[in-house]
Amino acid sequence: MSAALTGLSISQTIDSAFGIQQAAGGVFGYSVQEAFRYGVARGLFSNDAGAGTTPSMHASANVRHPVNQGLSGMLGVFVTTIIVCSCTAFCILLSGQLGSGLPML
C-alpha cells in the first residue's frame, strides 16, 4: 500500500509542477522580479547615491562650513530624484503610450 501511494504522490507532484498555470506563474514572477530589479537600480543610480562616489566628492570639498556642502549634496539628490524622475513620469503619462500595448525597445 505504501509503494502505491509513493508512486501516486510522485506522479501527482510532477503533474502539479509542470503545467500551463505553473509556467505562467513563473513567467509572471520573473517579470515582476526583473521590473523591481531595474526600478531599484535606476533609483539608486539616478542621483549617484548608490555608487558611493558622491560622499567622497562632498567630503573633499573646500567650503567655509560643512553645512553648506551638506545642503549642496541634498539639493543634488532632490533635483535628480524628484524633478528629473517626475519629468520622466509626466512624459510617459502625457504621451498616451503607457497603456498602448506597444513593445518596449
Side-chain angles (χ1 to χ4, degrees), residues 44-70:
L44 286 174
F45 292 114
S46 70
N47 57 20
D48 198 39
T53 56
T54 304
S56 300
M57 290 186 287
H58 286 295
S60 65
N62 188 11
V63 292
R64 290 184 185 177
H65 199 275
V67 172
N68 295 338
Q69 192 61 33

